[in-house]
Amino acid sequence: MGSHWQERQGKLTLVVLLSVMLLPGCAAVERPPDQASTIRPSGLDPVFPAQARCPAIASPFGSRTRYDGSLRPKWAFGGYHGGIDISLAEGTPLVALAAGTMVSKGEGGQLEGIYVWLRHSPDDTGLPYWVYSKYQHLESPSALPIGAKVAAGQVIARSGKTG
């Protein structure tokens, strides 16, 4: 992504990638051989607390263009956007979308920045499959250790402009 998105109206972008894994009982974080057959909408309806502010999606999943109308590079995911960008002020608290476990965190390259992965098991969500959520472009690494249990709505990191 780079600096072209970082300067847009003084706002920052957060990528949230939701990947639903249709592998009942699977506890490992691994990419199945045929990813296209395992990514599905959850069918869940979001429920937000009364005080929640829900900013608009700045760049949807699968978009071929960036926020400014320019085409995404073909070398990255075939030119398709691999996440959902939501513009937020730097330092905005980011909360877990559901109960789960911190399974990975680190710093990627230009398209990713500082990130965290959460794993949401069927016991956490009541769904018959595992759900993974990824938060990118964070301000700094999450203070939560790998293996930490998180509750829905718990602050896990803060938005940033890394990557």
Side-chain angles (χ1 to χ4, degrees):
M1 287 190 152
S3 63
H4 62 272
W5 64 269
Q6 295 172 0
E7 298 172 15
R8 184 181 60 194
Q9 299 174 342
K11 294 187 178 181
L12 306 166
T13 304
L14 161 76
V15 175
V16 179
L17 174 66
L18 303 179
S19 180
V20 177
M21 308 299 284
L22 299 176
L23 303 171
C26 176
V29 178
E30 55 188 86
R31 179 168 285 146
D34 182 9
Q35 184 174 349
S37 68
T38 62
I39 297 177
R40 303 270 190 267
S42 69
L44 297 175
D45 291 323
V47 178
F48 301 104
Q51 73 277 14
R53 182 181 63 82
C54 302
I57 293 174
S59 185
F61 180 83
S63 172
R64 306 260 351 222
T65 58
R66 295 186 181 106
Y67 68 92
D68 63 1
S70 64
L71 289 176
R72 293 183 179 280
K74 293 248 186 220
W75 58 264
F77 308 107
Y80 293 94
H81 191 213
I84 299 170
D85 290 346
I86 302 170
S87 294
L88 301 169
E90 187 172 1
T92 300
L94 303 175
V95 299
L97 63 91
T101 304
M102 175 80 72
V103 293
S104 180
K105 64 182 185 175
E107 187 167 353
Q110 178 182 355
L111 298 177
E112 193 171 36
I114 298 170
Y115 66 87
V116 300
W117 276 97
L118 299 181
R119 180 184 65 216
H120 313 281
S121 74
D123 289 339
D124 295 327
T125 64
L127 297 170
Y129 42 80
W130 295 76
V131 177
Y132 293 85
S133 58
K134 185 178 188 184
Y135 301 75
Q136 296 181 181
H137 308 297
L138 306 177
E139 181 178 66
S140 60
S142 176
L144 296 171
I146 301 297
K149 299 289 185 188
V150 298
Q154 178 180 339
V155 174
I156 56 168
R158 295 193 175 272
S159 64
K161 59 181 179 181
T162 61

